[in-house]
């Protein structure tokens, strides 16, 4: 007898502080592991989920997307509540829908938006302390804004890729990149058709050097052209990063 | 030889989640205990601090005020940074000043402002989960607003005092009380010349009953007049409460 499998898409938010990243691994709890345990509890199915992006240890998400095939007969309207009732409080299933059989959380994505949060103040952050990178040194936001046009568009972002990555192409298209300054926070908001490993954190680290005056706009262009990780700034800490949204064509 | 003692006032913010409350006690870490340990580390002085309000376990503060007498010769400009460098990340000293010898964090206060945060949504809160009370049931904010005038002014708040409290008078003057609705949040903001034990949490619990339609405005007036804790609504959970500000005449 053939089982009828649903392809289920879920939008998931989490605070990554307590986790060794999204993807299953042996050295610590993961977001994937917790969600798979919750699905097993609710449906009895020992399945694996696919995530749109493999966020690192300490990285957060508001709009991570996962999908999996399930034979569950639980109505989707109840599925979200059931999963949330057994998940830890730092992981929240926001939306559950049934999608076409060929939907793939990673391959079907047309773009993703990440937000990097800098807390720029003399005062330590309190309530946001695990969600921001506390940066108490001088920063000129106008200088940071000036280099954003170099980032937008289709470019080879090899200089912003973690060294040692083995992938076919390091060309990505950044659809938009802007800064949003609110209160003590400077948010770097970047949308692209794909991201290299550590790309947002390396861009953030380099933008901080621009804001601090260690390098200027011409240096930034040279870093882009060099296609050499050693030329760009340091990798900004994981805790400031959040996978905000994954966009699909339908 | 007589030592010259400074009277030091500090404005302190903290997330109360991990603490057994502000005040020193044997069954768990406290805000007072952590601050006193930090002062001991920095100045070598085993002193006790006085707090403006004794927040309960799980209650937060943005503007708690403490004072203490110290013979420290560390310049106050460096004192804040030194204390913050040894305090846990969930306690932040915001302001340090030297004040007149007769300043007393509790007795000199002319009013305090508390904020109670309700998270009113079908979705569980994520990043705010320890700072709000998640309330996924129907609430009519306009009904809650209608009873606020009964709270403002000088009244006997005995019905909103934790039962078993032994104090001389239960009359307090509420200077203002309003609701601030932003996104998923309903914030109850209340300023008074003093607060009875659990007064804000009991008012919050009763306002929730008003918003949910279990009781109406006439019932609310009767609760005020009854001067009986058993008549008012349940005590809202500690985690939604924050001591926002303590106001002094100078």
């Amino acid at each position: 007898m053939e089982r009828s499998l649903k392809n289920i898409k879920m939008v998931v938010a989490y605070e990554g502080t307590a986790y060794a990243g999204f993807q299953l691994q042996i050295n610590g709890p993961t977001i994937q592991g917790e969600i798979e345990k919750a699905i097993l509890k609710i449906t009895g199915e020992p399945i694996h989920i696919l995530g749109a992006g493999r966020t690192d240890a300490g990285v957060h998400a508001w709009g991570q997307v996962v999908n999996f095939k399930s034979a569950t007969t639980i109505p989707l309207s109840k599925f979200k509540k059931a999963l949330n009732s057994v998940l830890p409080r730092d992981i929240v299933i926001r939306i559950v829908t049934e999608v076409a059989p060929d939907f793939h959380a990673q391959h079907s994505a047309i773009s993703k938006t990440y937000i990097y949060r800098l807390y720029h103040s003399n005062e330590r952050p309190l309530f946001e302390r695990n969600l921001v990178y506390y940066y108490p040194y001088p920063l000129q936001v106008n200088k940071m804004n000036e280099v954003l046009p170099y980032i937008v568009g289709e470019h080879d972002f090899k200089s912003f890729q973690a060294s040692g990555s083995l992938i076919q192409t390091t060309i990505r298209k950044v659809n938009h990149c802007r800064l949003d300054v609110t209160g003590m926070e400077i948010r770097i908001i970047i949308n692209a058709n794909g991201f290299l490993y550590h790309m947002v954190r390396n861009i953030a680290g380099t933008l901080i050097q621009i804001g601090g005056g260690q390098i200027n706009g011409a240096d930034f262009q040279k870093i882009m052209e060099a296609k050499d990780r050693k030329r760009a700034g340091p990798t900004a800490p994981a805790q400031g990063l959040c996978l905000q949204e994954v966009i699909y064509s339908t």
Side-chain angles (χ1 to χ4, degrees), chain A:
Chain A
M1 191 177 125
E2 193 180 296
R3 294 191 311 167
S4 165
L5 291 181
K6 289 173 181 157
N7 190 11
I8 297 177
K9 174 191 175 190
M10 304 199 300
V11 180
V12 185
Y14 47 86
E15 182 178 325
T17 312
Y19 296 95
F22 178 81
Q23 197 174 24
L24 275 189
Q25 49 183 278
I26 48 166
N27 60 338
T30 63
I31 308 298
Q32 183 184 353
E34 296 300 320
I35 295 173
E36 290 178 355
K37 268 196 284 182
I39 293 171
L40 179 62
K41 266 189 203 164
I42 299 300
T43 70
E45 297 173 308
I47 53 96
H48 281 308
I49 62 171
L50 271 163
R54 297 173 184 174
T55 56
D56 280 333
V59 173
H60 319 291
W62 178 245
Q64 170 73 284
V65 173
V66 304
N67 80 293
F68 58 98
K69 305 289 172 83
S70 169
T72 184
T73 54
I74 300 168
L76 289 191
S77 59
K78 293 183 180 171
F79 199 57
K80 183 176 95 166
K81 200 169 178 181
L83 284 178
N84 280 329
S85 72
V86 298
L87 277 166
R89 289 174 68 238
D90 48 11
I91 303 176
V92 176
I93 309 295
R94 291 176 48 212
I95 303 167
V96 179
T97 44
E98 186 175 351
V99 288
D102 62 346
F103 174 88
H104 185 288
Q106 191 188 352
H107 299 154
S108 305
I110 56 171
S111 75
K112 287 179 210 145
T113 302
Y114 279 94
I115 297 182
Y116 196 91
R117 293 171 66 177
L118 288 169
Y119 193 87
H120 184 230
S121 168
N122 289 321
E123 314 289 330
R124 281 199 289 149
L126 175 67
F127 299 123
E128 315 87 343
R129 66 191 180 281
N130 294 322
L131 308 173
V132 297
Y133 171 34
Y134 172 43
Y135 193 82
Y137 312 105
L139 276 181
Q140 288 187 270
V141 174
N142 63 327
K143 288 192 175 173
M144 296 166 75
N145 266 317
E146 279 168 20
V147 301
L148 299 185
Y150 302 140
I151 297 171
V152 176
E154 191 165 82
H155 301 290
D156 190 331
F157 285 96
K158 193 167 182 189
S159 291
F160 297 103
Q161 177 181 239
S163 54
S165 304
L166 292 168
I167 57 164
Q168 288 190 313
T169 173
T170 48
I171 293 172
R172 294 291 183 274
K173 188 181 173 198
V174 171
N175 300 306
H176 57 80
C177 183
R178 64 185 177 86
L179 302 184
D180 183 9
V181 182
T182 313
M184 300 301 175
E185 278 197 37
I186 302 168
R187 297 184 181 202
I188 303 164
I189 303 164
I190 183 165
N191 173 276
N193 65 353
F195 289 88
L196 305 171
Y197 190 52
H198 281 181
M199 179 168 149
V200 182
R201 290 166 59 188
N202 290 337
I203 287 176
T206 309
L207 283 175
I208 289 167
Q209 291 192 323
I210 291 276
Q214 291 95 323
I215 61 172
N216 62 31
D219 297 327
F220 193 88
Q221 283 185 288
K222 283 179 204 148
I223 289 168
M224 291 281 286
E225 288 159 11
K227 302 177 182 56
D228 179 359
R229 173 68 191 97
K230 290 190 286 293
R231 297 289 294 276
T235 308
Q239 68 183 71
L241 188 61
C242 183
L243 173 51
Q244 187 68 14
E245 191 179 8
V246 186
I247 294 145
Y248 298 92
S249 59
T250 48

